[in-house]
Amino acid sequence: MENAQPPRFAEGSLAHALRDRFDRGQRPLLVGVAGDSGSGKTTYTEGIEWLLGADLVSQISLDGYHKEDRATRRQSGASPLDPNANHLAQAAADLAQLQQGIAVDIPRYDHRQGQFLPPRRHTPTPVILIEGLHTLYPEFQSLLDFRIFVDSDVRVKREWKFTRDTQERGYADTEAESQIASRADEFEKWLADQQYAADVVVRIHPSTLGTLALDGVEDDCNDTCYHIEVIVTPNQLSQGSLYFPVDLSTMTRQEALPFMLAMIPSRFQGHGVNVLHVDGHMPLAALDTLENEIRQFIGKPAAPATTTASQALPPTIRFAQMLVAWPFLGHLATPTNAV
Ligand SMILES: Nc1ncnc2c1ncn2[C@@H]1O[C@H](COP(=O)(O)OP(=O)(O)OP(=O)(O)O)[C@@H](O)[C@H]1O
Ligand SMILES: O=C(CO)[C@H](O)[C@H](O)COP(=O)(O)O
């Protein structure tokens, strides 16, 4: 007699419900993540992958749907930000197949070489994250269950994109500089409006904590910290508490590090939103508690004490990942929604 496999997720949990509905033939849930190149799309959605795990989540990049590779673009002068420089209709058709639970050959682009790779067969998982420059364009809207837009301040984007493109993508400094310059207007023209179709907008600015300091700034943390805004539409989910415990005694110690957490109810495009602001050095112990509370909500065991790739990230990024993942998990757990 075969050994019965233990259930992968706690009965009655969100992870169990996600796996179970998928195993019973329900369609995968598609999450769209849009934003400029180098804005942090991958970084800020990795929390969803880390929390739910590879058994529940897979990821697709729409960069494979560019019409031209890097060398061809250098000749033609076309920009990948131009929707017409991409096979968006083909991408929408492929995503529609995946949404039906059908495996699809997804075209791929290798940024290290600036060339296309052979397509790879993508077998649907319960949740599929789709990242790209145009993911929230109208052709994808009806396919998406949740939409995230990542919008980095030009100064932040410049620093991240320049470093990444020169160190990892083989660009010379001058070409990286000129691309960043020419893309500023293209972002406004072709990409920025997608934020108005998003369920969550993440904005990243240089740290603003220095502006709150009195006469002299001890540690304005400008080089290492970012001011992150997460704009979410409030939900009606009735759920248990999520704790983010902060030890007040650390705030009066000499070695105290600057940090700020605020929630500002606001209006965005004519509707009420909650805007969470995070800046500075997040207390690590509080972050660990928050992550484990979210994992418990999902129905996954507490994170192992060993350092995972995600846990090696700066605490503010980990905290932002949780703030991006949480509205999506809340959306899934709302009875009127998919799970
Ligand atoms: N909070 C952060 N602090 C420091 N570096 C960051 C942060 N967020 C992202 N980065 C860096 O910025 C670069 C771009 O981030 P990421 O790859 O997430 O962007 P992307 O929008 O997915 O880019 P692309 O679409 O061009 O692949 C990466 O090298 C990443 O390590
Ligand atoms: O906008 C981008 C998304 O990352 C890239 O510039 C685009 O995908 C082309 O890639 P590369 O610059 O590596 O040829």
Side-chain angles (χ1 to χ4, degrees), residues 36-38 41 63 66 69-70 73 80-81 109-112 114-115 133 161 164-165 169 171 179 183:
D36 202 356
S37 172
K41 296 184 294 293
D63 291 351
H66 294 330
D69 64 12
R70 195 181 297 163
R73 254 183 286 124
L81 275 61
Y109 186 81
D110 172 14
H111 288 285
R112 286 184 186 274
Q115 292 172 346
L133 298 165
K161 187 167 168 58
R164 200 263 322 266
D165 285 1
R169 296 191 175 178
Y171 278 91
Q179 283 221 0
R183 282 174 170 216

Side-chain angles (χ1 to χ4, degrees), residues 35-46 61 63 111 131-133 150 152 156-157 159-161 163-165 168-169 183 204 223-224 226 228 313-314 316-317:
D36 202 356
S37 172
S39 58
K41 296 184 294 293
T42 310
T43 307
Y44 287 89
T45 46
E46 268 169 0
S61 166
D63 291 351
H111 288 285
E131 284 185 51
L133 298 165
V150 180
S152 292
V156 173
K157 218 160 42 183
E159 176 195 330
W160 291 351
K161 187 167 168 58
T163 307
R164 200 263 322 266
D165 285 1
E168 297 173 23
R169 296 191 175 178
R183 282 174 170 216
I204 303 126
D223 291 338
T224 50
Y226 295 97
I228 300 165
L313 288 170
T316 24
I317 301 184

